[in-house]
mmCIF file of all heavy atoms in Angstrom:
data_model
loop_
_atom_site.group_PDB
_atom_site.id
_atom_site.type_symbol
_atom_site.label_atom_id
_atom_site.label_comp_id
_atom_site.label_asym_id
_atom_site.label_seq_id
_atom_site.Cartn_x
_atom_site.Cartn_y
_atom_site.Cartn_z
ATOM 1 N N GLU A 25 73.780 -22.706 52.018
ATOM 2 C CA GLU A 25 74.025 -21.243 51.668
ATOM 3 C C GLU A 25 74.952 -20.572 52.628
ATOM 4 O O GLU A 25 75.804 -19.765 52.226
ATOM 5 C CB GLU A 25 72.674 -20.509 51.615
ATOM 6 C CG GLU A 25 71.741 -20.967 50.486
ATOM 7 C CD GLU A 25 72.287 -20.637 49.091
ATOM 8 O OE1 GLU A 25 73.028 -19.631 48.943
ATOM 9 O OE2 GLU A 25 72.036 -21.438 48.192
ATOM 10 N N ASN A 30 80.337 -18.338 53.584
ATOM 11 C CA ASN A 30 81.556 -18.284 54.470
ATOM 12 C C ASN A 30 82.792 -18.373 53.603
ATOM 13 O O ASN A 30 83.786 -17.664 53.789
ATOM 14 C CB ASN A 30 81.507 -19.423 55.457
ATOM 15 C CG ASN A 30 82.780 -19.476 56.283
ATOM 16 O OD1 ASN A 30 83.218 -18.566 56.888
ATOM 17 N ND2 ASN A 30 83.398 -20.702 56.225
ATOM 18 N N SER A 56 101.575 -11.334 40.590
ATOM 19 C CA SER A 56 102.433 -12.448 40.225
ATOM 20 C C SER A 56 103.510 -11.990 39.243
ATOM 21 O O SER A 56 103.561 -10.829 38.835
ATOM 22 C CB SER A 56 101.609 -13.557 39.606
ATOM 23 O OG SER A 56 101.172 -13.194 38.346
ATOM 24 N N ARG A 94 80.410 -25.973 21.801
ATOM 25 C CA ARG A 94 81.712 -25.647 21.214
ATOM 26 C C ARG A 94 82.520 -26.879 21.085
ATOM 27 O O ARG A 94 82.582 -27.694 21.941
ATOM 28 C CB ARG A 94 82.450 -24.660 22.122
ATOM 29 C CG ARG A 94 83.755 -24.199 21.631
ATOM 30 C CD ARG A 94 83.619 -23.258 20.413
ATOM 31 N NE ARG A 94 82.966 -22.026 20.721
ATOM 32 C CZ ARG A 94 82.028 -21.428 20.029
ATOM 33 N NH1 ARG A 94 81.646 -21.906 18.871
ATOM 34 N NH2 ARG A 94 81.488 -20.302 20.370
ATOM 35 N N ASN A 118 85.097 -9.559 -0.963
ATOM 36 C CA ASN A 118 86.071 -9.256 -1.998
ATOM 37 C C ASN A 118 87.317 -10.152 -1.960
ATOM 38 O O ASN A 118 88.025 -10.199 -2.965
ATOM 39 C CB ASN A 118 86.498 -7.785 -1.992
ATOM 40 C CG ASN A 118 85.334 -6.838 -2.140
ATOM 41 O OD1 ASN A 118 84.460 -7.126 -2.982
ATOM 42 N ND2 ASN A 118 85.332 -5.771 -1.395
ATOM 43 N N PRO A 232 106.396 -25.204 34.151
ATOM 44 C CA PRO A 232 107.101 -26.013 33.182
ATOM 45 C C PRO A 232 107.367 -27.400 33.640
ATOM 46 O O PRO A 232 107.335 -28.364 32.826
ATOM 47 C CB PRO A 232 108.447 -25.242 33.001
ATOM 48 C CG PRO A 232 108.599 -24.352 34.131
ATOM 49 C CD PRO A 232 107.142 -24.017 34.581
ATOM 50 N N PRO A 313 85.404 3.949 21.954
ATOM 51 C CA PRO A 313 85.746 5.320 21.619
ATOM 52 C C PRO A 313 87.169 5.374 21.000
ATOM 53 O O PRO A 313 87.997 4.506 21.214
ATOM 54 C CB PRO A 313 85.781 6.028 22.940
ATOM 55 C CG PRO A 313 84.937 5.186 23.882
ATOM 56 C CD PRO A 313 85.134 3.772 23.375
ATOM 57 N N ILE A 344 90.157 -12.385 45.509
ATOM 58 C CA ILE A 344 89.574 -11.979 44.213
ATOM 59 C C ILE A 344 89.445 -10.436 44.232
ATOM 60 O O ILE A 344 89.040 -9.874 45.236
ATOM 61 C CB ILE A 344 88.177 -12.593 44.005
ATOM 62 C CG1 ILE A 344 88.242 -14.094 44.115
ATOM 63 C CG2 ILE A 344 87.610 -12.205 42.607
ATOM 64 C CD1 ILE A 344 89.155 -14.792 43.074
ATOM 65 N N LEU A 348 85.076 -7.787 41.184
ATOM 66 C CA LEU A 348 84.427 -9.047 40.910
ATOM 67 C C LEU A 348 83.513 -9.563 42.013
ATOM 68 O O LEU A 348 82.847 -10.581 41.826
ATOM 69 C CB LEU A 348 85.493 -10.152 40.548
ATOM 70 C CG LEU A 348 86.376 -9.837 39.366
ATOM 71 C CD1 LEU A 348 87.307 -11.001 39.082
ATOM 72 C CD2 LEU A 348 85.572 -9.445 38.141
ATOM 73 N N GLN A 359 73.616 -8.673 41.091
ATOM 74 C CA GLN A 359 74.869 -8.091 41.425
ATOM 75 C C GLN A 359 75.673 -8.897 42.490
ATOM 76 O O GLN A 359 76.206 -8.394 43.425
ATOM 77 C CB GLN A 359 74.699 -6.658 41.914
ATOM 78 C CG GLN A 359 74.164 -5.736 40.813
ATOM 79 C CD GLN A 359 74.073 -4.246 41.269
ATOM 80 O OE1 GLN A 359 73.200 -3.864 41.970
ATOM 81 N NE2 GLN A 359 75.094 -3.549 40.800
ATOM 82 N N ALA A 382 92.021 -34.460 45.276
ATOM 83 C CA ALA A 382 93.451 -34.602 45.353
ATOM 84 C C ALA A 382 93.916 -35.981 45.699
ATOM 85 O O ALA A 382 94.891 -36.481 45.160
ATOM 86 C CB ALA A 382 93.984 -33.597 46.402
ATOM 87 N N PRO A 407 85.389 -26.520 48.572
ATOM 88 C CA PRO A 407 84.984 -26.407 47.175
ATOM 89 C C PRO A 407 86.185 -26.580 46.240
ATOM 90 O O PRO A 407 87.230 -26.043 46.542
ATOM 91 C CB PRO A 407 84.363 -25.019 47.032
ATOM 92 C CG PRO A 407 83.877 -24.686 48.429
ATOM 93 C CD PRO A 407 84.911 -25.336 49.323
ATOM 94 N N LYS A 414 93.909 -22.385 46.604
ATOM 95 C CA LYS A 414 94.643 -22.485 47.855
ATOM 96 C C LYS A 414 95.917 -23.300 47.645
ATOM 97 O O LYS A 414 96.958 -22.980 48.178
ATOM 98 C CB LYS A 414 93.753 -23.116 48.945
ATOM 99 C CG LYS A 414 94.440 -23.272 50.290
ATOM 100 C CD LYS A 414 94.916 -21.942 50.868
ATOM 101 C CE LYS A 414 93.755 -21.132 51.364
ATOM 102 N NZ LYS A 414 94.239 -19.938 52.147
ATOM 103 N N GLU A 417 98.420 -21.134 45.963
ATOM 104 C CA GLU A 417 98.878 -20.158 46.927
ATOM 105 C C GLU A 417 99.957 -20.747 47.883
ATOM 106 O O GLU A 417 100.987 -20.159 48.165
ATOM 107 C CB GLU A 417 97.682 -19.678 47.759
ATOM 108 C CG GLU A 417 97.910 -18.662 48.826
ATOM 109 C CD GLU A 417 96.609 -18.295 49.492
ATOM 110 O OE1 GLU A 417 95.572 -18.126 48.848
ATOM 111 O OE2 GLU A 417 96.608 -18.175 50.756
#
Side-chain angles (χ1 to χ4, degrees):
E25 293 295 326
N30 175 55
S56 71
R94 182 70 65 222
N118 297 322
I344 307 298
L348 301 186
Q359 295 186 282
K414 179 62 73 172
E417 181 180 318

